Amino acid sequence: MNTDLVSVYRQNHALEHATITLLLKKLGLSQKLMGIATRDGFYIFGDVPSDEVREAAAGALARLQSGERDLAVSPFCGTNLVVAGALAALACLVAFGGEDRRDRFPLAVLMATGAVIASKPVGRAVQKYVTTSPNLADVTISRITRRGVGSRILHKVETSRDVLPSP
């Protein structure tokens, strides 16, 4: 099955979210974790035992493949920040668009605040329809490696498909 590069990133992004969600459920929300999707999988940054990463990644893949699509969307995703910033900037452009900009500052604050509030559901929708894909039927986890020392640990979760697109 030939999969395009955008779909590969979206799938890996979804699996990264689901893996971190399961890790946080098991280890607690105080655990400091960050992830980033790549062409061949994803990284998890944080001092987490490798066995926990393996278990969470395998569980996340199985749950996404069985239809738990909501695991692909995360309230901690950077997409939410980008959406909030873009909507707030747009609101300020609209508010400051006319004459007497100094008098429009309260309007800009009000509109930017509204934009940030609206960004939560919009950010979730952008993740759901643009930056992640929970359709992982052809995805397998091929390898998980750990690097780093002390509290500076990262795990690379490598994924594979029937056929990866060429770069």
Side-chain angles (χ1 to χ4, degrees):
M1 178 174 159
N2 189 7
T3 307
D4 66 278
L5 191 57
V6 172
S7 295
V8 167
Y9 272 97
R10 291 180 69 217
Q11 289 172 324
N12 288 335
H13 194 193
L15 184 55
E16 170 223 323
H17 283 180
T19 300
I20 289 176
T21 296
L22 295 183
L23 282 168
L24 290 174
K25 282 183 180 177
K26 183 162 187 181
L27 303 175
L29 290 175
S30 63
Q31 182 72 41
K32 294 177 183 162
L33 296 175
M34 184 181 89
I36 187 166
T38 64
R39 179 181 181 271
D40 62 343
F42 60 94
Y43 289 97
I44 293 182
F45 300 87
D47 189 9
V48 181
S50 297
D51 289 342
E52 298 292 346
V53 174
R54 278 187 193 84
E55 183 181 316
L61 181 60
R63 289 173 66 174
L64 285 167
Q65 287 176 332
S66 70
E68 290 187 54
R69 303 171 71 82
D70 289 345
L71 285 173
V73 177
S74 170
F76 308 115
C77 182
T79 299
N80 297 332
L81 296 173
V82 172
V83 168
L87 290 177
L90 181 61
C92 287
L93 283 173
V94 170
F96 286 130
E99 301 286 325
D100 302 322
R101 290 185 180 168
R102 196 173 340 177
D103 295 335
R104 295 176 146 239
F105 183 74
L107 177 62
V109 170
L110 180 66
M111 290 183 71
T113 302
V116 169
I117 292 168
S119 72
K120 185 173 182 178
V122 173
R124 289 184 65 78
V126 169
Q127 284 183 67
K128 184 175 181 179
Y129 297 109
V130 179
T131 65
T132 68
S133 173
N135 301 321
L136 300 168
D138 65 334
V139 176
T140 58
I141 295 170
S142 53
R143 183 168 64 160
I144 299 175
T145 55
R146 175 186 170 111
R147 290 186 221 149
V149 293
S151 62
R152 295 179 181 235
I153 303 295
L154 73 85
H155 286 86
K156 173 69 184 267
V157 179
E158 295 179 40
T159 58
S160 58
R161 289 152 190 80
D162 292 336
V163 175
L164 278 175
S166 55

